[in-house]
Amino acid sequence: MTAVVTRPDPKDTAGEPDPRDPEVRLAQLLDVDSMAPLRPKDASGVYAVRGRINGAKAVAYCTDATKMGGAMGSEGCRHIVEAIDTAVKERVPVIGLWHSGGARLAEGVEALDAVGSVFAAMVRASGKVPQISVVLGPAAGGAAYGPALTDIVIMAPTGRVFVTGPDVVRSVTGEQIDMEGLGGPDAHARKSGVVHVTADDEADAYARARRITSLFSLPGVFDLHRVRNDNADLKAMLPASARRAYDVRPLVRRILDHDETSSSFEELQPRWAPNIVVGLGRLAGRTVGVIANNPLRMGGCLDSASAEKASRFVRMCDSFGVPLLVLVDVPGYLPGVGQEWDGVVRRGAKLLHAFAEAIVPRVTLVTRKAYGGAYIAMNARCLGATSVFAWPDAEVAVMGARAAVGILHRKKLAAAPEEEREALHNQLAEEHERIAGGVNRALAIGVVDEVIEPTQTRYRLAESLAAAPAGRGAHGNIPL
Amino acid sequence: MAEEIHAEMVANVLQVVVAEGDEVRRDDTLVLLESMKMEIPVITEVGGVVAKVAVQPGQVVQRGDLIAVVE
């Protein structure tokens, strides 16, 4: 059925268009007057178009919430598949606007089959063109897995994502929860990690989708003139004491292109696994991906959730040819029964795999410390880093000097009289620091290329990324 | 609405920064923990009044333990 429905919705008779109308929604996403439908508007519940975002070509589709709550039937699903396949053929990003109750019940298994074909199209496109989802209303069942298969999920305050709604949850498990509690922005931004960006309102959701799409479709080139004369002492943004925590995000925003009031940094999944910060931004005009430990949260340690968050981001950037900038200040992997049983070995292995596999230029900067297994996982030389830099006084070691001598000289320390033990421990730690500590050993064996002046940070990072051969990983972006 | 703030990881309680009844703003530090040889602030994601502080200096908290309640 491709019957063209021209009869307006009864609500439209007042002249005011329904804000849920796909044409109204897509018009807010795309540049003014840039929208051209792939097919005429019909009763399928999906509208798909070509258009432009900041001048760059894109394909977009929107489920029609004014028809059966946006439920997806076979015809509508065919439109989505066509939109995705068109984007792949034309090598442009594809943006989906979601407001859908899931598969059309009346169509039965036919609708299920069609929804599955949407998933298959998304996987075919995975890693080939950026796929961005904006969840504007309920996205249940099949409509939940659609966004989840794409690279970036943006959610408006009215967005809800769940496999089964509150009624089914109540009847099966007895749990009492409303739609927002179950699958609203807070649930998915903080607890599940499903959502990458929570928007302030629907207009903000389109604005964020436009900014993120442009970071992919208008990647720019490294223009070193833009960073050559920036000589600010970025190390001054770190606290004086090495034990003190700080928020790494102001440093990230400052390293990336910025002006007085704003930065180009678009953080992804900021409230889930917040001990690692990931996001896109521009350095010297070129789109880059940033991965940074955040000492403010859990001391910046790596754990199973943060390793998984970072590995998916690394693989996404690699598949789209986005160079990576890795800021390291990591005390280690979080120890504990909970972590081990939570699969820190299995999920931590994903990060090793992601970095070692990545062929995009990827530069590491150790700002304060890199200890143990977490040192390796944060894009160390052995995993194939393009360059590894360190700021002066940074430490690269298996563990901190005090902890190291506590193990190496356990017997000697135990044999010392108790009143002298503390002094001996300090003395041994100092000696250890001199021989094995700091960054000197790492420099000597070539796992750190160079200690750079903090005032030269932006220039040296951009220079290294610009000099490396551009590449792009030939793989999809499985939602790890 | 009451917001419960729980420990994100096993840690020693170094210092309790706020007292019950104090007004706090988003991103204020409630308690200072020590773990991984780092001083780690426990921050509130909501503003309000501290209704309860559930820990004392010197105590060990496990992941998920209640630290404070902000209303």
Side-chain angles (χ1 to χ4, degrees), chain A residues 66-226:
Chain A
T66 67
K67 296 189 174 73
M68 302 166 71
M72 302 158 75
S74 45
E75 184 73 21
C77 288
R78 267 199 290 281
H79 292 341
I80 298 182
V81 170
E82 184 182 44
I84 295 168
D85 289 346
T86 301
V88 172
K89 206 161 68 194
E90 298 176 6
R91 299 183 182 195
V92 298
V94 55
I95 301 105
L97 307 185
W98 291 87
H99 184 152
S100 167
R104 281 188 177 178
L105 271 181
E107 289 190 28
V109 73
E110 242 183 289
L112 285 182
D113 179 64
V115 169
S117 69
V118 169
F119 299 161
M122 287 171 159
V123 176
R124 278 200 299 279
S126 182
K128 294 194 177 75
V129 296
Q131 298 183 79
I132 292 155
S133 300
V134 186
V135 182
L136 299 167
Y145 284 110
L149 280 166
T150 63
D151 302 302
I152 289 171
V153 182
I154 298 165
M155 191 183 255
T158 45
R160 309 283 180 262
V161 168
F162 37 70
V163 175
T164 52
D167 293 342
V168 175
V169 168
R170 192 175 309 119
S171 70
V172 174
T173 70
E175 291 160 307
Q176 300 280 341
I177 194 157
D178 61 11
M179 273 174 50
E180 183 175 0
L182 184 63
D186 203 56
H188 286 308
R190 289 172 78 176
K191 297 186 173 83
S192 74
V194 166
V195 166
H196 295 81
V197 174
T198 48
D200 298 335
D201 49 40
E202 190 165 328
D204 184 46
Y206 299 128
R208 303 288 284 270
R210 287 174 58 85
R211 289 211 295 272
I212 289 169
T213 303
S214 295
L215 283 165
F216 289 115
S217 56
L218 301 165
V221 290
F222 288 109
D223 176 5
L224 297 179
H225 292 294
R226 297 173 68 146

Side-chain angles (χ1 to χ4, degrees), chain A residues 30-376:
Chain A
L30 300 166
D31 290 352
V32 175
D33 293 336
S34 72
M35 191 158 67
L38 291 184
R39 284 179 188 278
K41 233 176 168 183
D42 58 22
S44 68
V46 173
Y47 189 52
V49 300
R50 283 191 187 85
R52 288 179 184 270
I53 290 179
N54 293 320
K57 287 180 182 170
V59 168
Y61 57 88
C62 182
T63 59
D64 188 348
T66 67
K67 296 189 174 73
M68 302 166 71
M72 302 158 75
S74 45
E75 184 73 21
C77 288
R78 267 199 290 281
H79 292 341
I80 298 182
V81 170
E82 184 182 44
I84 295 168
D85 289 346
T86 301
V88 172
K89 206 161 68 194
E90 298 176 6
R91 299 183 182 195
V92 298
V94 55
I95 301 105
L97 307 185
W98 291 87
H99 184 152
S100 167
R104 281 188 177 178
L105 271 181
E107 289 190 28
V109 73
E110 242 183 289
L112 285 182
D113 179 64
V115 169
S117 69
V118 169
F119 299 161
M122 287 171 159
V123 176
R124 278 200 299 279
S126 182
K128 294 194 177 75
V129 296
Q131 298 183 79
I132 292 155
S133 300
V134 186
V135 182
L136 299 167
Y145 284 110
L149 280 166
T150 63
D151 302 302
I152 289 171
V153 182
I154 298 165
M155 191 183 255
T158 45
R160 309 283 180 262
V161 168
F162 37 70
V163 175
T164 52
D167 293 342
V168 175
V169 168
R170 192 175 309 119
S171 70
V172 174
T173 70
E175 291 160 307
Q176 300 280 341
I177 194 157
D178 61 11
M179 273 174 50
E180 183 175 0
L182 184 63
D186 203 56
H188 286 308
R190 289 172 78 176
K191 297 186 173 83
S192 74
V194 166
V195 166
H196 295 81
V197 174
T198 48
D200 298 335
D201 49 40
E202 190 165 328
D204 184 46
Y206 299 128
R208 303 288 284 270
R210 287 174 58 85
R211 289 211 295 272
I212 289 169
T213 303
S214 295
L215 283 165
F216 289 115
S217 56
L218 301 165
V221 290
F222 288 109
D223 176 5
L224 297 179
H225 292 294
R226 297 173 68 146
V227 288
R228 201 184 293 274
N229 296 319
D230 183 352
N231 299 320
D233 180 12
L234 298 183
K235 196 158 181 270
M237 298 181 79
L238 267 49
S241 162
R243 287 168 50 84
R244 283 287 293 280
Y246 61 95
D247 189 352
V248 78
R249 290 174 298 181
L251 177 63
V252 172
R253 286 195 279 267
R254 183 64 182 72
I255 286 177
L256 295 174
D257 295 347
H258 59 278
D259 57 28
E260 261 103 81
T261 52
S262 66
S263 168
S264 61
F265 185 50
E266 294 286 335
E267 189 175 0
L268 303 176
Q269 295 169 313
R271 297 172 78 197
W272 180 65
N275 41 329
I276 204 153
V277 169
V278 302
L280 299 164
R282 290 184 189 274
L283 177 64
R286 172 71 165 94
T287 299
V288 297
V290 179
I291 301 105
N293 309 111
N294 194 1
L296 185 67
R297 306 302 293 269
M298 301 174 77
C301 68
L302 281 180
D303 62 355
S304 51
S306 59
E308 199 167 65
K309 170 177 163 180
S311 35
R312 178 174 175 184
F313 179 74
V314 168
R315 296 192 79 252
M316 177 186 78
C317 289
D318 188 50
S319 67
F320 299 132
V322 175
L324 294 169
L325 178 54
V326 186
L327 301 178
V328 184
D329 184 355
V330 67
Y333 262 100
L334 180 65
V337 177
Q339 279 298 308
E340 298 295 344
W341 292 359
D342 201 23
V344 68
V345 174
R346 173 174 54 82
R347 295 162 86 188
K350 295 179 188 182
L351 188 52
L352 298 172
H353 193 290
F355 271 128
E357 175 190 41
I359 65 165
V360 284
R362 45 190 163 103
V363 171
T364 300
L365 171 66
V366 183
T367 56
R368 282 210 303 194
K369 62 184 178 304
Y371 291 156
Y375 149 76
I376 302 173

Side-chain angles (χ1 to χ4, degrees), chain A residues 190 243-245 271 296-299 333-334 369, chain B residues 3 8-9 34 36-41 43 45:
Chain A
R190 289 172 78 176
R243 287 168 50 84
R244 283 287 293 280
R271 297 172 78 197
L296 185 67
R297 306 302 293 269
M298 301 174 77
Y333 262 100
L334 180 65
K369 62 184 178 304
Chain B
E3 170 94 355
E8 290 181 319
M9 61 197 300
E34 188 200 30
M36 309 288 290
K37 300 175 191 69
M38 295 276 297
E39 290 169 11
I40 300 165
I43 52 183
E45 291 198 20

